[in-house]
Amino acid sequence: MAASAPKREDDPKRRIVITGMGLVSVFGNDVDTFYEKLLEGQSGIGLIDRFDASSYSVRFGGQIKDFSSKGYIDGKNDRRLDDCWRYCLVGGKKALENANLGKENLDKIDKSRAGVLVGTGMGGLSVFTDGVEALVQKGYKRITPFFIPYSITNMGSALLAIDTGLMGPNYSISTACATANYCFFAAANHIRRGEADIMLAGGTEAAIVPAGVGGFIACRALSHRNDDPQTASRPWDKERDGFVMGEGAGVLVMESLEHAMKRGATIIAEYLGGGVTCDAHHMTDPRSDGLGVSTCITKALEDSGVSPEEVNYVNCHATSTLAGDLAEVNAIKKVFKDTSGIKMNGTKSMIGHCLGAAGGLEAIATIKAITTGWLHPTINQFNPETAVTIDTVPNVKKQHEVHV
């Protein structure tokens, strides 16, 4: 007897839809432009010029240049804020605009049932390092009063709420590279439990600063391909030598189907479910068999009411690290068994690893894959690992109708 398909949620109060997307990226602050550049296979990686990196062993990354917050943050605040919060405010407000929740419409909803959950891996790193420097060089009296508030990780969600008046659940989750996915998962559960109708959720990061770059060099995690930065991020390639730092913000408006329909919102996609697990293994290396990952995917499928056979696209973590890339492929093969119909790609090959913002930006790339029917390539696929038998959409975009 054939196994019956799992049952999906059908209560419109508990079904969760995506009604808005906003981002700040190395390709600018417009969602469509961002995805067009990804489809073209453009690399956003280049030499760092925000500070003098000439003495560093890694001198490149996905640094955002010519960022403008005009129309989203007032001038006085803009000068004081860490880039982490500037990216968050612009990405979050753009997501609300995209959801047709500009100020006028936002004032019509019940703001006590709208929350913000935008996380970050590092928080306000520039403000933090400037504060420590002031303390060491000039004494505690020279520390700015903004030192603590603009360093802590929940300030992005807090500032968004102050600016928009959203009074529902408000906090941040900080789980390194998994941050934004944790935020989506938790935000969805607030809606499912009836604690909110709308959640602004995602991730933000601005760690391409001396302490951030220096710290990751010390972790021995970064690619050292200074002579050819644009080919440095090469997931699943035999010659990969570490990840490339990126930055930015990616934010979604998540909403109960009932609330979205009531206000006549345009529904972009549906969030079906998620899962959270831990490898319990090592600080930076995954288990080589990918057990933590495969268990997590299985939990997500169960939570979603989706059978493995329905999934035909995976936007991978694919950081371009030696251990991580293969562990992830092992996990995918373990859960999906027959992977002949699946395509997977690595957004980080073009924008680098945006740490706490990675899940946010890649969720937007995934949604655009669903809505456009085109998958962006994984660039820099020169000499793929033999163990990688799944189609990585190498170097050129592909048309593909995504089911789940």
Side-chain angles (χ1 to χ4, degrees):
M1 189 181 130
S4 61
K7 190 177 178 309
R8 288 194 199 172
E9 183 59 67
D10 54 12
D11 178 355
K13 278 192 177 71
R14 290 169 53 87
R15 280 179 72 181
I16 292 150
V17 293
I18 310 303
T19 55
M21 306 187 281
L23 57 72
V24 169
S25 80
V26 72
F27 296 135
N29 308 346
D30 177 74
V31 168
D32 290 340
T33 308
F34 169 72
Y35 201 61
E36 277 157 24
K37 301 256 191 191
L38 292 178
L39 287 178
E40 286 164 14
Q42 275 201 35
S43 171
I45 310 303
L47 294 174
I48 294 167
D49 63 7
R50 181 172 292 150
F51 61 93
D52 180 7
S54 58
S55 63
Y56 285 60
S57 59
V58 174
R59 300 182 285 279
F60 63 94
Q63 179 195 317
I64 292 171
K65 298 175 182 179
D66 310 317
F67 169 73
S68 168
S69 60
K70 200 172 185 304
Y72 294 96
I73 310 173
D74 72 73
K76 193 167 127 189
N77 265 336
D78 200 38
R79 288 190 296 279
R80 290 178 178 151
L81 285 174
D82 192 282
D83 278 347
C84 192
W85 313 136
R86 294 169 77 216
Y87 298 165
C88 172
L89 283 168
V90 173
K93 289 178 183 181
K94 277 186 161 285
L96 285 170
E97 277 176 9
N98 185 235
N100 197 20
L101 288 169
K103 183 163 173 28
E104 203 177 301
N105 287 339
L106 201 57
D107 288 342
K108 293 177 189 164
I109 68 164
D110 180 352
K111 289 187 176 180
S112 69
R113 294 186 53 78
V116 190
L117 182 37
V118 180
T120 169
M122 315 285 279
L125 202 54
S126 292
V127 168
F128 183 78
T129 50
D130 290 350
V132 171
E133 216 164 278
L135 170 69
V136 171
Q137 291 176 3
K138 299 170 186 167
Y140 80 94
K141 288 182 177 173
R142 300 304 296 274
I143 295 174
T144 164
F146 298 104
F147 171 51
I148 300 290
Y150 286 171
S151 296
I152 55 179
T153 60
N154 66 306
M155 198 40 67
S157 296
L159 291 168
L160 264 172
I162 290 166
D163 276 8
T164 56
L166 303 183
M167 295 178 74
N170 189 294
Y171 58 104
S172 64
I173 295 172
S174 184
T175 46
C177 322
T179 292
N181 278 350
Y182 262 89
C183 292
F184 295 139
F185 179 76
N189 288 338
H190 284 299
I191 297 170
R192 278 185 178 171
R193 289 196 300 261
E195 297 157 0
D197 300 320
I198 290 185
M199 291 293 294
L200 201 53
T204 184
E205 203 76 84
I208 300 182
V209 296
V213 177
F216 279 110
I217 291 172
C219 280
R220 298 185 180 160
L222 299 182
S223 164
H224 280 65
R225 219 174 283 273
N226 292 300
D227 53 342
D228 196 4
Q230 299 206 330
T231 69
S233 186
R234 46 175 79 193
W236 306 302
D237 190 85
K238 280 179 181 166
E239 305 293 311
R240 68 192 183 283
D241 70 329
F243 76 81
V244 176
M245 282 181 77
E247 60 176 355
V251 184
L252 301 180
V253 176
M254 303 177 79
E255 192 167 355
S256 75
L257 177 61
E258 181 182 65
H259 191 272
M261 285 168 70
K262 217 176 258 179
R263 69 177 187 89
T266 302
I267 292 164
I268 306 167
E270 181 171 8
Y271 167 93
L272 295 174
V276 287
T277 59
C278 175
D279 264 11
H281 175 65
H282 181 271
M283 279 196 300
T284 54
D285 282 348
R287 289 174 54 123
S288 59
D289 60 3
L291 182 67
V293 183
S294 57
T295 312
C296 194
I297 296 172
T298 303
K299 279 179 184 274
L301 291 170
E302 284 166 7
D303 185 53
S304 306
V306 169
S307 62
E309 295 74 35
E310 292 175 87
V311 176
N312 68 340
Y313 168 55
V314 181
N315 179 293
C316 288
H317 186 48
T319 57
S320 187
T321 53
L322 288 167
D325 290 9
L326 290 181
E328 188 176 14
V329 169
N330 289 339
I332 292 167
K333 285 179 174 175
K334 187 173 175 183
V335 177
F336 296 107
K337 309 283 193 288
D338 175 17
T339 55
S340 59
I342 292 182
K343 297 195 189 309
M344 64 180 190
N345 57 7
T347 311
K348 293 180 184 74
S349 64
M350 291 173 275
I351 63 172
H353 189 347
C354 301
L355 311 170
L361 288 159
E362 288 164 30
I364 291 173
T366 304
I367 292 166
K368 289 297 282 182
I370 294 168
T371 58
T372 63
W374 282 93
L375 302 186
H376 73 66
T378 307
I379 66 166
N380 302 324
Q381 302 288 281
F382 305 112
N383 188 9
E385 289 276 8
T386 44
V388 181
T389 51
I390 306 167
D391 183 352
T392 64
V393 195
N395 306 319
V396 182
K397 67 180 179 182
K398 279 188 184 172
Q399 210 161 358
H400 184 61
E401 193 185 322
V402 180
H403 303 311
V404 179

